[in-house]
Amino acid sequence: MDALLNIKAVARRTGLSAHVIRIWEKRYQAVVPTRTATNRRLYAESEIERLGLLARAIRAGHTISQIAGLPVGTLRGLAATDTNAVAGAGAGEPRPRATTARDFVREALEAVRDLDGLELERVMKAAELALGQMGLLCKVLSPLLEQLGKSWRAGDLLAAHEHLASQAVRSFLGNLSRPYAATDQAPELVVTTPVGQLHELGALMAAATAHHEGWRVTYLGPCLPADEIAGAVRQKHARAVALSVVHPADDPTLPRELEKLRQSLPAGTAMLVGGRAAGAYAETLKGIDAITCETLVDLQNALDAVRQGRGGAFRGATRA
């Protein structure tokens, strides 16, 4: 009898994350692992093969909800057919190029699913040329990242897809910000994510938006403790700090971390907080007098208000 493997070993074998494997099991019953007396998952070789076939089909563009219940024989044929289709994808007529924001989002999603970083970069460049920098950020990258997040949580994207998208967008946004050299008199903004928040693309988009608005931006990367953020704010004499809160939405330690940051910041420092999970911490954000920015337009309005010393009285972004 073949040895049973735990979820970490299966993740190494298949290239899937443990998160995706659990989602496929709980939501779609794609596999049914054996459970130990302590409720640990153990997987047989047949289940590991099934997970690998599902992963290959998803790389080719299928969604887990469509294929989770298919028998292994069908998955083998599907994976082989999809491999051939991907191999011959460039042989036909070129696809029509996008002209609208919706088309750019669609093309970008296809590039991510194909693990094609060069194509994703091309789409972003074309979108910036057609829509302008803020059009790219608000109308293409924001909905793209939202869709990627949903697909990742549903198990329709693998860790490889997320990593490729993150690297491509991170590099592109870094280059996007460079032409906007702020003056020495421009206000300072520190941008990061708090401890436990590992997804940094929202913070990078906030940094690019602030650069566009003429702020001097210090980007610290993701997952910093409150005292480190406050120290950077003090050193840079920053007028505001912008935080991205994306996932998870139920971190029991984050409220205390946000409260600690407010207590550590110099008096009068504005806290701007955005991201998909920000609303889950609304009570805490209200208590620390943070400004919630649901969209990049809200962030623009908030930055303008802070720059002019108008506090929270502005259109769009609101006090949490």
Side-chain angles (χ1 to χ4, degrees), residues 70-104:
L70 296 178
V72 169
T74 302
L75 288 175
R76 287 177 184 145
L78 185 64
T81 301
D82 287 334
T83 299
N84 294 334
V86 170
E93 292 296 320
R95 292 177 298 180
R97 292 306 189 189
T99 56
T100 67
R102 180 176 295 181
D103 289 339
F104 284 123

Side-chain angles (χ1 to χ4, degrees), residues 223-306:
C223 197
L224 278 186
D227 54 352
E228 295 288 339
I229 299 171
V233 169
R234 291 181 181 277
Q235 181 175 337
K236 300 299 294 186
H237 304 288
R239 193 178 298 182
V241 57
L243 305 175
S244 177
V245 179
V246 174
H247 177 83
D250 57 354
D251 183 351
T253 67
L254 183 57
R256 177 59 190 143
E257 194 69 15
L258 292 170
E259 291 166 356
K260 182 179 178 182
L261 176 58
R262 168 52 80 194
Q263 294 165 3
S264 303
L265 288 173
T269 305
M271 286 181 64
L272 315 178
V273 183
R276 184 173 58 246
Y281 303 96
E283 184 176 349
T284 298
L285 295 176
K286 181 178 180 180
I288 62 175
D289 201 29
I291 300 169
T292 300
C293 303
E294 295 182 358
T295 68
L296 292 180
V297 173
D298 290 350
L299 178 61
Q300 286 178 295
N301 291 333
L303 291 170
D304 183 57
V306 172

Side-chain angles (χ1 to χ4, degrees), residues 21-298:
I21 295 171
R22 292 189 190 100
I23 288 292
W24 288 2
E25 175 199 338
K26 291 180 179 179
R27 189 172 300 173
Y28 303 107
Q29 294 78 52
V31 291
V32 183
T34 300
R35 296 279 185 161
T36 69
T38 57
N39 208 34
R40 294 179 61 204
R41 296 171 172 84
L42 295 176
Y43 297 82
E45 283 295 328
S46 59
E47 292 162 326
I48 297 170
E49 179 192 12
R50 181 176 182 80
L51 289 168
L53 290 170
L54 288 169
R56 286 174 60 188
I58 286 175
R59 288 190 186 99
H62 294 278
T63 63
I64 187 64
S65 59
Q66 295 173 327
I67 62 175
L70 296 178
V72 169
T74 302
L75 288 175
R76 287 177 184 145
L78 185 64
T81 301
D82 287 334
T83 299
N84 294 334
V86 170
E93 292 296 320
R95 292 177 298 180
R97 292 306 189 189
T99 56
T100 67
R102 180 176 295 181
D103 289 339
F104 284 123
V105 173
R106 174 183 52 77
E107 284 195 351
L109 280 169
E110 290 176 359
V112 173
R113 289 190 179 278
D114 291 343
L115 293 174
D116 191 339
L118 291 177
E119 173 63 8
L120 179 56
E121 181 180 3
R122 183 204 66 77
V123 173
M124 290 188 288
K125 288 179 178 178
E128 182 193 7
L129 183 63
L131 306 174
Q133 179 174 333
M134 289 311 300
L136 166 69
L137 292 171
C138 295
K139 297 179 181 179
V140 178
L141 291 186
S142 283
L144 171 65
L145 298 181
E146 180 69 21
Q147 183 58 52
L148 290 177
K150 289 179 180 178
S151 296
W152 179 78
R153 292 192 301 277
D156 289 334
L157 289 180
L158 310 180
H161 294 109
E162 186 190 23
H163 291 171
L164 177 132
S166 296
Q167 181 58 38
V169 175
R170 182 186 299 112
S171 176
F172 191 84
L173 289 180
N175 292 329
L176 199 65
S177 297
R178 286 173 188 157
Y180 294 91
T183 66
D184 291 340
Q185 292 74 39
E188 292 271 1
L189 176 72
V190 168
V191 181
T192 185
T193 78
V195 164
Q197 295 289 318
L198 302 177
H199 298 264
E200 66 175 313
L201 292 183
L204 283 163
M205 291 181 64
T209 300
H211 272 296
H212 185 271
E213 295 299 299
W215 284 65
R216 296 173 63 87
V217 177
T218 299
Y219 178 69
L220 301 179
C223 197
L224 278 186
D227 54 352
E228 295 288 339
I229 299 171
V233 169
R234 291 181 181 277
Q235 181 175 337
K236 300 299 294 186
H237 304 288
R239 193 178 298 182
V241 57
L243 305 175
S244 177
V245 179
V246 174
H247 177 83
D250 57 354
D251 183 351
T253 67
L254 183 57
R256 177 59 190 143
E257 194 69 15
L258 292 170
E259 291 166 356
K260 182 179 178 182
L261 176 58
R262 168 52 80 194
Q263 294 165 3
S264 303
L265 288 173
T269 305
M271 286 181 64
L272 315 178
V273 183
R276 184 173 58 246
Y281 303 96
E283 184 176 349
T284 298
L285 295 176
K286 181 178 180 180
I288 62 175
D289 201 29
I291 300 169
T292 300
C293 303
E294 295 182 358
T295 68
L296 292 180
V297 173
D298 290 350

